[in-house]
């Protein structure tokens, strides 16, 4: 394909309720959307899942916008013809920024697959037409408010509950939720909030039959996670630590994890995500698809990935209504705890341009 132009659009989308984690509280979602148009006028969309501030990862929206304009787009434009499979290697001289690179690769892949009349699900190797839905529950102001929120998701049909935890908000909320719903699949996510010395405390979660404890320690502390895995019976799952296929190989070799959360933005795109999936299938390691409060654009692509055979645990592929009163695409609606995998060409969804214009805070089109 020959890229004609790349549009960079920043949007601000209010959340239906505040979402608090160990690193902060969000009341709205700022996102950088990328639209690639080829010489024939075919358009492809993707979203950069970086947050407004560098709290979850070093990347943030304004920084990625500058990086993409200053370095990544000129490098892409240096090629007269390009396929999505070439993007990662072409952009590799620029260190880091997997979310920015993933957005460009995915938008190019969307154009490519639309032109070839192939769905993203088919391209990635999906074997399922629908995906089990899990939901992520933020840290609540009180236990009663936590129970009220969890009850709303259980009643809606979600098949797995994930509780965000931090020191001071962990054992007690988990105990009460487990006692209230003895059989619901339940897991917790610490977002790096604990230290190596917290092993005995985290072991207090073992009686509650959790699926996993997600990323309890700093993302760079692979050895610490390996040590923690020997102290607690609950499986340790890595999220922020898994930034590439190599990182996954290293973590498994050190026995730092027995479950992996694959986030396409965090690992640099869907092509790298499939490589990690294939490694885990080979090693018999369960994987699931994490979420970054995506709009329908990112959610559609995540559903295509989560439909691969190795994704055996419900992910954070929630319905649109979990986060947004109005989505930028047709909303993803859960049916009996499942979301349908888009079957259209490319990512399989189209943005609602009128609504997108309403929530756009900046837009720039870079033409070859």
């Amino acid at each position: 394909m020959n890229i004609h132009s790349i549009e960079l659009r920043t949007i601000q989308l209010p959340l239906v309720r505040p979402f608090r984690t160990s690193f902060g509280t969000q009341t709205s979602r700022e996102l950088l959307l990328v639209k690639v148009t080829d010489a024939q006028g075919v358009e492809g969309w993707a979203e950069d899942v970086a947050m407004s501030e560098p709290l979850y990862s070093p990347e943030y929206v304004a920084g990625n916008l500058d990086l993409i304009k200053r370095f990544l787009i000129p490098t892409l434009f240096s090629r007269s013809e390009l396929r999505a499979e070439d993007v990662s290697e072409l952009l590799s001289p620029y260190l880091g920024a997997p979310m920015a690179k993933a957005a460009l690769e995915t938008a190019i892949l969307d154009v490519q697959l639309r032109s070839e009349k192939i769905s993203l699900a088919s391209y990635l190797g999906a074997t399922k037409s629908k995906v089990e839905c899990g939901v992520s529950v933020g840290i609540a102001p009180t236990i009663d408010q936590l129970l009220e929120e969890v009850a709303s998701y259980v009643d809606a049909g979600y098949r797995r509950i994930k509780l965000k935890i931090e020191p001071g908000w962990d054992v007690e909320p988990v105990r009460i939720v487990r006692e209230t719903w003895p059989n619901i699949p339940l897991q917790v996510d610490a977002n790096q909030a604990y230290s190596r010395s917290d092993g005995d405390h985290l072991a207090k979660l073992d009686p509650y039959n959790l699926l996993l404890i997600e990323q309890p320690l700093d993302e760079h502390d692979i050895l610490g996670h390996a040590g923690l895995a020997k102290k607690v019976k609950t499986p340790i799952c890595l999220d922020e630590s898994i930034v590439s296929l190599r990182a996954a190989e290293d973590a498994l070799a050190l026995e730092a994890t027995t479950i992996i959360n694959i986030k396409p933005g965090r690992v640099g795109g869907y092509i790298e995500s499939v490589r990690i999936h294939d490694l885990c299938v080979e090693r018999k390691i369960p994987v699931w698809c994490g979420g970054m409060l995506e709009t329908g654009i990112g959610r559609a692509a995540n559903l295509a990935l989560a439909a691969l055979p190795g994704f055996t645990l419900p992910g954070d592929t929630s319905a649109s209504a979990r986060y947004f009163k109005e989505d930028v695409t047709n909303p993803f609606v859960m049916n009996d705890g499942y979301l349908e995998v888009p079957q259209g060409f490319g990512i399989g969804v189209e943005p609602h341009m009128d609504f997108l214009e309403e929530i756009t805070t900046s837009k720039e089109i870079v033409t070859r």
Side-chain angles (χ1 to χ4, degrees):
M1 61 173 287
N2 183 292
I3 299 175
H4 174 261
S5 65
I6 297 178
E7 177 184 293
L8 303 171
R9 178 189 295 261
T10 305
I11 64 170
Q12 193 83 35
L13 193 56
L15 301 180
V16 294
R17 68 169 78 203
F19 186 65
R20 183 184 162 206
T21 67
S22 62
F23 56 78
T25 301
Q26 290 178 264
T27 57
S28 65
R29 184 64 165 108
E30 183 185 33
L31 278 163
L32 175 61
L33 301 183
V34 177
K35 181 179 75 172
V36 170
T37 304
D38 73 4
Q40 286 69 47
V42 179
E43 297 176 352
W45 287 86
E47 63 185 76
D48 181 329
V49 295
M51 298 171 63
S52 300
E53 299 174 304
L55 298 173
Y56 170 80
S57 83
E59 293 181 82
Y60 61 102
V61 172
N64 278 6
L65 180 60
D66 179 73
L67 175 75
I68 290 171
K69 289 192 299 184
R70 190 187 299 262
F71 299 106
L72 304 189
I73 287 179
T75 301
L76 294 177
F77 281 176
S78 70
R79 290 279 188 93
S80 58
E81 293 186 354
L82 185 68
R83 289 186 63 82
E85 294 83 358
D86 304 324
V87 171
S88 177
E89 182 178 357
L90 186 60
L91 299 181
S92 62
Y94 303 105
L95 301 181
M99 295 175 183
K101 294 173 182 177
L104 289 166
E105 179 187 273
T106 305
I108 291 169
L109 184 59
D110 191 28
V111 173
Q112 181 177 309
L113 296 179
R114 288 176 189 270
S115 299
E116 296 172 355
K117 296 181 168 47
I118 300 171
S119 71
L120 178 61
S122 176
Y123 171 86
L124 296 178
T127 58
K128 295 172 278 191
S129 61
K130 60 182 182 178
V131 170
E132 272 192 300
C133 294
V135 66
S136 183
V137 184
I139 296 168
T142 67
I143 292 289
D144 286 344
Q145 287 171 279
L146 173 68
L147 293 177
E148 179 184 351
E149 184 174 356
V150 173
S152 71
Y153 299 136
V154 173
D155 292 344
Y158 280 99
R159 292 174 170 263
R160 184 227 68 196
I161 302 294
K162 179 171 82 172
L163 303 179
K164 295 287 187 177
I165 62 170
E166 66 180 1
W169 181 268
D170 42 35
V171 178
E172 186 65 6
V174 168
R175 179 186 68 79
I176 293 175
V177 169
R178 173 51 79 210
E179 289 177 354
T180 307
W181 292 278
N183 300 315
I184 192 78
L186 182 65
Q187 64 193 56
V188 296
D189 182 8
N191 291 117
Q192 312 182 62
Y194 295 85
S195 65
R196 291 187 181 189
S197 62
D198 290 320
D200 290 340
H201 179 71
L202 289 170
K204 294 177 182 178
L205 295 170
D206 287 340
Y208 303 112
N209 189 30
L210 300 178
L211 293 173
L212 55 91
I213 301 173
E214 184 181 353
Q215 198 68 44
L217 309 182
D218 183 88
E219 63 182 284
H220 302 294
D221 194 3
I222 303 301
L223 285 178
H225 281 102
L228 183 63
K230 296 174 182 176
K231 281 192 170 186
V232 302
K233 295 179 181 178
T234 306
I236 299 298
C237 170
L238 291 184
D239 172 359
E240 288 95 325
S241 297
I242 307 300
V243 296
S244 64
L245 175 64
R246 176 64 60 82
E249 290 172 335
D250 291 349
L252 292 176
L254 292 170
E255 299 182 347
T257 185
T258 53
I259 300 172
I260 285 178
N261 170 4
I262 300 178
K263 286 181 178 173
R266 193 196 58 231
V267 304
Y270 290 88
I271 294 172
E272 184 77 351
S273 295
V274 172
R275 295 188 185 111
I276 297 171
H277 163 273
D278 293 348
L279 169 73
C280 291
V281 169
E282 179 186 331
R283 303 284 181 87
K284 295 181 170 55
I285 297 295
V287 298
W288 55 281
C289 184
M292 291 288 292
L293 283 67
E294 291 92 348
T295 71
I297 291 171
R299 198 168 306 276
N302 282 356
L303 285 167
L305 178 68
L308 269 65
F311 287 83
T312 55
L313 296 174
D316 291 336
T317 45
S318 308
S320 295
R322 161 63 184 94
Y323 295 112
F324 310 119
K325 182 178 179 180
E326 184 174 358
D327 207 339
V328 303
T329 65
N330 286 342
F332 283 94
V333 179
M334 187 170 60
N335 182 20
D336 192 29
Y338 289 86
L339 288 181
E340 298 290 330
V341 177
Q343 299 300 320
F345 302 145
I347 63 173
V349 297
E350 302 287 347
H352 296 163
M353 294 308 302
D354 289 344
F355 179 58
L356 211 53
E357 291 293 344
E358 288 180 23
I359 60 174
T360 293
T361 57
S362 70
K363 182 176 71 172
E364 182 172 349
I365 298 174
V366 183
T367 303
R368 181 186 292 275

